[in-house]
Amino acid sequence: MKTLKIGIADYDQMKARTMAIARGEHTPASGEPKVWFTSIESFARLLSEHNRHLLELIARERPRSLTELAEMAGRSKSNLSRTLKTMSRYGLVELRRGGRGRLVPRVPYDLVRLDVSLTGTRSSGSVGVSP
């Protein structure tokens, strides 16, 4: 089972972390999150129930194009394209070029693990995406 690790940090924390990595003062450990959000609310918006169903549909049906996915999902292609491009920026979806230049969506992870600090100590929770 492949898991995408996600963290929550405010802008200043993410900037400080990025700068420390760039200066060679911090090397991310293998268990650290790969993707960061500035708030739990922004994470929740991206992984809304509607979008989780979309990820499940992609994983289960393996559409051959965005047009095919739009038909399966009952959504307009333009709306779907915007949603998937946002998801791809966070690594939740891969958009690969298929035949005739078509974009083919794939879900590269089975599970998303969210690390949230409540008291200054790391904690984590999991959200599953069923294939």
Side-chain angles (χ1 to χ4, degrees):
M1 185 171 289
K2 195 167 176 190
T3 301
L4 174 64
K5 296 168 188 161
I6 293 178
I8 303 292
D10 67 29
Y11 176 79
D12 290 334
Q13 290 170 322
M14 285 193 302
K15 183 178 177 182
R17 180 180 186 277
T18 301
M19 295 304 291
I21 292 169
R23 289 189 302 267
E25 297 168 357
H26 177 70
T27 302
S30 63
E32 284 187 37
K34 302 292 182 215
V35 175
W36 294 86
F37 286 82
T38 56
S39 69
I40 292 174
E41 291 80 14
S42 62
F43 172 73
R45 276 192 303 275
L46 186 63
L47 275 182
S48 67
E49 184 176 348
H50 192 64
N51 286 346
R52 286 193 317 274
H53 286 300
L54 181 61
L55 291 170
E56 289 173 7
L57 180 64
I58 294 167
R60 183 180 64 247
E61 300 296 330
R62 301 186 58 83
R64 294 173 297 203
S65 69
L66 292 187
T67 302
E68 187 176 320
L69 178 60
E71 291 171 8
M72 290 176 182
R75 293 174 63 172
S76 73
K77 187 177 172 183
S78 63
N79 174 279
L80 190 63
S81 179
R82 278 191 304 275
T83 299
L84 293 176
K85 285 180 183 176
T86 300
M87 288 180 164
S88 73
R89 284 197 313 264
Y90 290 97
L92 296 169
V93 170
E94 291 176 348
L95 297 172
R96 297 184 179 159
R97 290 279 172 202
R100 298 184 182 176
R102 294 179 181 154
L103 284 177
V104 179
R106 290 290 175 257
V107 178
Y109 296 96
D110 302 302
L111 189 69
V112 171
R113 192 185 85 206
L114 173 63
D115 288 346
V116 180
S117 174
L118 300 177
T119 61
T121 307
R122 289 179 79 174
S123 63
S124 64
S126 297
V127 177
V129 177
S130 302

